[in-house]
Amino acid sequence: MAALVMQTLGCDVAALNTVQYIPADTKVGNHTGYKQWKGTKASAEEIKDLYTGLKQSYLTDFDVLLTGYAPSAETVDAVGSIARDLKLKGSMKAGSFFWILDPVMGDQGKLYISEDVVPVYRNLLRDADLILPNQFEAEILSEIKITSLSSLKEAITKLHKTHRTPHIIVTSINLPDKPSTMSIIGSTARSDSSPRIFKIDVPAIDCFFSGTGDMFAALTVVRLREAVTHADLNNTKSWVSPDDVEAEDLPLAKAAEKVLGSMHTVLSKTKEARDKELEGMAGPLGVMEKEKDSEKRIWLRKTKAAEVKVVRCLEDLREPRLDWKAEAFDENEGGGAIEHVGEPKVEQANGANVAGEREGLGMQHLAGTGKRLENGHGKKDSVDSTLPHRRA
């Protein structure tokens, strides 16, 4: 999904797969939400070989690296080696390379990678420019239990100060006093590593989707680059704004507003299509009525119906709604309590417990400069007239 989203918004994408999954009983989709799957996991050596091939052909002029799920400590380390090599290559020109790291480790208080992966991710934090953990992953990385907005602020502050991570977005925050609302909370560090924290609330959609983290990360690549260009920070290390920029005015906040605008529209349309499809399958004499004795078949049909309708909603990616704005963070909101929320754990057909490995994030995406139009030249588009062509 991530590659398609970035290509739709003007990027050329080089994708290095870390897993090859497909559900066992269907030809649609490629994620663990079906509760059963077949496929393979790439080794660290295979990932390194693919990158070496790019280097040999002088195809590593990348501006952005987006990394997600990696199946082992060795593969996470291999991905980190690629990122560090690209950062070294871009170190002669500030702002010429940016690494977005989604530290895919678990959800709802459960790890779905081996414990030896955790310290490898922590070792990568200092090199990443932006990290996209969910609430549980933010706890693991910061070693701070997040039970309130105050402790969430403490975790973000520690990640900034201890690991020198410039930008952070924590996804899937649920406030008990707002059960119908989902929040993301982000921050860009000041020069003294103190946080500038913003929050964006969007209406929650009562449906389980696979791949939303993938779509969020891919949209962030493009929208952050766009916001950074508008703020004239392309030649600034890690694209960090001056200290006097308020949290809600940060490029990261402006990018997140557009990301969530597109996502909410796409997911709303997906749920509408899902509900219509399931209604047609329901009884009397519908497909699911005939298969009411087969919970497995019903689950597979419901999961397939909820596949995110990205291809049908390309214009919604290009033209996001701007209904939800970033606000200054208030750690006392809602009494400060936070609940864990996230994707449900799924089970493989043999009964082994595996949490949904965030579909689509078994892929590392390299984004780089292709032909670029100068400021003020070329036709304006919905992404950014200065960045219509990028290699990703």
Side-chain angles (χ1 to χ4, degrees):
M1 183 191 296
L4 173 62
V5 169
M6 289 189 284
Q7 287 167 336
T8 298
L9 296 182
C11 293
D12 295 317
V13 179
L16 308 184
N17 289 347
T18 57
V19 296
Q20 299 278 7
Y21 285 159
I22 192 163
D25 288 354
T26 179
K27 296 180 180 179
V28 179
N30 64 333
H31 58 79
T32 57
Y34 286 90
K35 296 187 177 182
Q36 56 179 16
W37 59 93
K38 300 291 185 182
T40 60
K41 299 179 181 181
S43 69
E45 287 305 312
E46 288 170 333
I47 294 169
K48 291 177 182 178
D49 284 346
L50 289 170
Y51 180 67
T52 298
L54 290 172
K55 291 185 69 174
Q56 289 174 343
S57 298
Y58 302 100
L59 296 174
T60 56
D61 54 331
F62 299 112
D63 294 328
V64 177
L65 171 66
L66 168 61
T67 64
Y69 175 71
S72 67
E74 291 77 17
T75 53
V76 173
D77 188 61
V79 169
S81 296
I82 292 172
R84 286 168 174 149
D85 186 64
L86 290 169
K87 285 185 74 73
L88 179 62
K89 185 174 180 290
S91 62
M92 299 301 293
K93 182 181 178 181
S96 63
F97 177 74
F98 194 90
W99 179 19
I100 299 177
L101 167 64
D102 192 343
V104 182
M105 296 184 290
D107 210 346
Q108 292 187 306
K110 301 287 186 181
L111 285 173
Y112 45 71
I113 43 87
S114 61
E115 292 186 2
D116 63 346
V117 175
V118 174
V120 181
Y121 269 121
R122 286 203 190 106
N123 288 337
L124 298 181
L125 294 180
R126 188 175 292 269
D127 295 302
D129 297 291
L130 165 63
I131 61 172
L132 303 174
N134 60 33
Q135 180 183 330
F136 174 63
E137 290 158 351
E139 290 180 344
I140 294 296
L141 294 173
S142 67
E143 300 179 279
I144 293 175
K145 181 68 174 177
I146 297 173
T147 58
S148 64
L149 290 177
S150 178
S151 57
L152 175 58
K153 179 181 179 181
E154 184 182 355
I156 290 173
T157 300
K158 182 176 180 180
L159 291 169
H160 279 322
K161 289 184 175 292
T162 301
H163 299 286
R164 303 295 178 184
T165 307
H167 306 277
I168 300 164
I169 292 180
V170 182
T171 60
S172 302
I173 301 297
N174 179 252
L175 302 176
D177 65 326
K178 296 182 178 180
S180 61
T181 299
M182 292 295 296
S183 303
I184 70 151
I185 294 179
S187 175
T188 295
R190 298 185 181 88
S191 56
D192 63 356
S193 297
S194 61
R196 284 175 283 184
I197 305 178
F198 64 87
K199 177 172 68 71
I200 305 177
D201 296 332
V202 296
I205 299 174
D206 186 19
C207 182
F208 170 67
F209 307 99
S210 292
T212 54
D214 198 353
M215 182 163 56
F216 184 96
L219 287 168
T220 298
V221 168
V222 178
R223 294 308 181 186
L224 180 58
R225 179 70 179 275
E226 174 188 279
V228 163
T229 299
H230 289 165
D232 196 23
L233 294 171
N234 292 85
N235 298 319
T236 303
K237 182 180 179 182
S238 296
W239 301 346
V240 174
S241 302
D243 286 355
D244 60 351
V245 177
E246 298 295 331
E248 59 269 33
D249 296 322
L250 291 166
L252 189 65
K254 296 304 180 184
E257 290 174 351
K258 289 188 174 182
V259 170
L260 292 175
S262 286
M263 288 193 64
H264 191 271
T265 302
V266 172
L267 296 179
S268 294
K269 290 183 177 180
T270 297
K271 185 177 186 299
E272 290 174 8
R274 167 193 177 271
D275 292 348
K276 185 175 181 180
E277 182 173 346
L278 293 180
E279 182 179 351
M281 293 181 183
L285 302 179
V287 173
M288 290 197 293
E289 178 69 16
K290 295 176 183 177
E291 297 177 350
K292 60 185 178 182
D293 60 336
S294 174
E295 293 184 6
K296 175 182 175 182
R297 291 293 296 273
I298 292 174
W299 172 265
L300 292 175
R301 291 188 181 280
K302 287 182 176 180
T303 303
K304 180 178 179 293
E307 291 284 0
V308 180
K309 305 299 188 285
V310 179
V311 175
R312 302 184 193 180
C313 301
L314 298 184
E315 286 305 311
D316 298 308
L317 301 181
R318 298 186 184 105
E319 297 287 351
R321 293 173 59 181
L322 295 176
D323 295 343
W324 303 286
K325 298 295 184 180
E327 303 173 351
F329 178 79
D330 180 5
E331 62 188 88
N332 296 315
E333 180 182 348
I338 289 180
E339 294 178 349
H340 265 290
V341 63
E343 296 181 357
K345 186 173 67 175
V346 301
E347 296 185 356
Q348 204 167 1
N350 62 9
N353 289 330
V354 182
E357 294 172 337
R358 282 215 228 145
E359 173 265 316
L361 290 177
M363 190 176 287
Q364 319 308 316
H365 301 279
L366 298 149
T369 306
K371 268 174 126 180
R372 180 180 299 173
L373 301 181
E374 299 298 327
N375 286 326
H377 297 278
K379 182 181 178 181
K380 273 281 183 185
D381 59 35
S382 61
V383 180
D384 188 330
S385 65
T386 67
L387 300 171
H389 304 290
R390 286 175 295 275
R391 238 169 27 80

